[in-house]
Amino acid sequence: MGHKIWLSSPTMHGEEQIFIKEAFDTNWVAPLGANVDAFERDMAAYIGIGHAAALVSGTAALHLAVKLAGVKPGDVVFCTDLTFSATVNPVSYEGGIQVFIDSERDTWNMDPRALEKAFQKYPNCKCVVVANLYGTPAKLDEIRAICDSNGAILIEDAAESLSATYKGRQTGTFGQYNAISFNGNKIITTSGGGMLLSDDEETIKKARFWATQSRESCPWYEHKELGYNYRMSNIVAGIGRGQLIHLDEHRTLKKKIYETYKAGFSDIEAIEMNPFLECSEPNFWLSCIKIDPSKSNVKPEDITAILAIANVESRPIWKPMHLQPYYAKHDFITLCAKGHSIGGEIFEHGLCLPSDVKNTEADMLRVINVVRDVFGVEQLDVLEKVLAFA
Ligand SMILES: *Cc1c(COP(=O)(O)O)cnc(C)c1O
């Protein structure tokens, strides 16, 4: 059976402990300190954005982004439909009302044409939240242009796409406010954490203020605004500094995993890998497949069940938000006929495969052969014959 092959588990390298030790040695075991400052500075420089606020989670970053965008109770906010719930929940924290926008087939992300249709129906919408699914950039130029022409603020949820680029520019820079995450299974992790990114220094300062309980600079505890306890700890930021050193290396390994799956399934016509645009370079956070039901009767659940027996973790595609019981009353904008959606189709026929940067050639061969077996195609002996997995 062999050892467990994980979807995407943390990969630590050692430098993390040096930065943590520094925090201990100086007794800055607090939600501020040198690691937090340096992690914010280094991450902003890496991404190429003016300012960053380190927070307890990507969700906290998205919450403050929604607050900065000025979303008020009753305001409509257009959101990516096919994503993790953390993309959209913060809208509710501020009393906004999500209207979900269907995906397109080229990147599985928000469809700009459906977004345009949404603005025709809700011309007063002033905020859009777009996510880059599984590390693949959305059609960001088109989405940004539609937001601009409608006077709406764009929030980019780059939680899954850290280090991916679109037309040479890093994701996490396309919105007025942008969020990234360092949760346990992301491309780099701090165990838990996130950052809010913006070119506008004042708004990042405001976010840091809200994140430290909105405490006024005053000898006593004075509060004019509602506050939150959202700041990242100096210990956690130490892990982040150590991880950032290895971000590019992780992306290179993730890309290799994606290309290996692609080659390993190239003779199975029913399988499509999660697609991306020529003008973008995903971070390949998770490699996914979609099965064409006109070419095969194999269901993603069949593959998951057999992978589990082989001690391999896999995961369903995010269930679209418009299909979630919690959001059942919310409007959904799609170009499909009633009752259909592209997001729903990807959910029904798609599957996330193990994309752990620690995967070895033997691990990849094991996963590929299980999947090949389910489709009734012959096993591969070694990867190198067909692939470039060095
Ligand atoms: C992980 C994730 C988040 C939330 O980040 P946390 O740090 O876990 O709060 C938000 N959006 C997407 C798309 C994510 O995958």
Side-chain angles (χ1 to χ4, degrees):
M1 175 149 97
H3 66 96
K4 173 109 180 180
I5 300 175
W6 298 96
L7 194 78
S8 183
S9 69
T11 302
M12 295 292 137
H13 299 272
E15 287 96 334
E16 297 86 356
Q17 287 186 342
I18 298 169
F19 294 113
I20 293 173
K21 186 168 186 305
E22 255 172 49
F24 272 77
D25 291 348
T26 55
N27 200 34
W28 281 99
V29 185
L32 74 173
N35 281 337
V36 173
D37 297 343
F39 190 33
E40 288 178 342
R41 190 190 58 223
D42 294 350
M43 186 56 81
Y46 178 92
I47 289 180
I49 198 156
H51 305 277
L55 303 167
V56 289
S57 67
T59 309
L62 285 159
H63 181 194
L64 296 184
V66 168
K67 213 170 142 71
L68 284 167
V71 172
K72 296 280 176 302
D75 288 355
V76 163
V77 176
F78 298 148
C79 297
T80 290
D81 178 56
L82 183 64
T83 185
F84 182 45
S85 62
T87 304
V88 310
N89 286 341
V91 171
S92 295
Y93 303 166
E94 291 301 310
I97 299 167
Q98 301 86 343
V99 167
F100 300 113
I101 312 295
D102 200 5
S103 297
E104 32 80 2
R105 288 198 173 83
D106 302 332
T107 73
W108 296 2
N109 287 300
M110 181 187 281
D111 185 348
R113 290 175 309 152
L115 180 62
E116 274 182 324
K117 187 176 166 186
F119 273 113
Q120 282 157 19
K121 186 164 178 186
Y122 300 95
N124 295 326
C125 173
K126 286 287 165 270
C127 182
V128 174
V129 186
V130 66
N132 301 307
L133 194 72
Y134 300 128
T136 301
K139 295 182 175 175
L140 291 165
D141 273 356
E142 287 167 63
I143 289 168
R144 180 64 197 252
I146 295 165
C147 289
D148 287 349
S149 70
N150 286 280
I153 286 173
L154 179 64
I155 295 173
E156 190 190 355
D157 177 358
E160 297 177 0
S161 65
L162 177 58
S163 83
T165 56
Y166 176 88
K167 297 187 180 171
R169 184 170 142 193
Q170 289 277 327
T171 61
T173 63
F174 288 84
Q176 275 90 344
Y177 312 112
N178 312 276
I180 53 177
S181 165
F182 314 114
N183 196 3
N185 63 12
K186 298 289 169 15
I187 188 160
I188 59 170
T189 181
T190 59
S191 73
M195 264 188 208
L196 179 72
L197 312 167
S198 176
D199 271 323
D200 180 3
E201 183 172 14
E202 284 314 303
T203 61
I204 292 294
K205 279 190 177 153
K206 186 83 200 192
R208 288 202 192 102
F209 169 77
W210 286 333
T212 33
Q213 308 285 18
S214 296
R215 186 183 164 189
E216 300 289 336
S217 56
C218 197
W220 55 87
Y221 284 82
E222 178 86 1
H223 302 282
K224 294 180 185 160
E225 289 183 68
L226 183 62
Y228 304 86
N229 183 7
Y230 275 177
R231 280 294 260 166
M232 180 181 278
S233 99
N234 199 47
I235 299 288
V236 161
I239 306 177
R241 290 181 76 187
Q243 286 272 287
L244 182 53
I245 299 169
H246 296 276
L247 176 53
D248 287 330
E249 176 190 326
H250 285 196
R251 191 192 52 236
T252 303
L253 291 166
K254 295 256 187 202
K255 182 175 183 181
K256 195 172 198 176
I257 289 168
Y258 179 93
E259 286 173 344
T260 304
Y261 282 130
K262 200 176 167 92
F265 303 143
S266 59
D267 55 346
I268 306 174
E269 251 190 72
I271 293 184
E272 178 202 17
M273 298 289 297
N274 45 336
F276 59 92
L277 300 176
E278 288 271 339
C279 66
S280 78
E281 177 72 14
N283 71 359
F284 302 97
W285 174 53
L286 292 187
S287 289
C288 309
I289 56 170
K290 184 156 88 66
I291 304 161
D292 182 342
S294 72
K295 294 182 177 145
S296 169
N297 292 326
V298 171
K299 299 265 172 291
E301 309 86 83
D302 305 337
I303 302 176
T304 297
I306 298 175
L307 282 173
I309 295 167
N311 209 16
V312 177
E313 186 185 15
S314 61
R315 189 164 75 181
I317 298 292
W318 302 124
K319 183 176 179 183
M321 290 301 118
H322 82 279
L323 298 174
Q324 298 289 351
Y326 186 76
Y327 289 115
K329 294 201 180 76
H330 289 237
D331 200 0
F332 172 58
I333 308 292
T334 177
L335 305 176
C336 297
K338 206 170 164 46
H340 293 268
S341 67
I342 291 170
E345 170 196 306
I346 296 166
F347 168 61
E348 195 182 334
H349 302 293
L351 185 69
C352 307
L353 294 176
S355 310
D356 198 297
V357 298
K358 294 179 293 309
N359 279 1
T360 62
E361 180 172 337
D363 294 338
M364 293 300 297
L365 191 61
R366 194 158 115 214
V367 180
I368 286 169
N369 274 337
V370 170
V371 176
R372 290 178 67 86
D373 198 39
V374 179
F375 281 87
V377 272
E378 90 284 15
Q379 307 274 295
L380 302 173
D381 309 330
V382 278
L383 284 176
E384 67 202 33
K385 268 200 226 150
V386 268
L387 322 167
F389 202 95

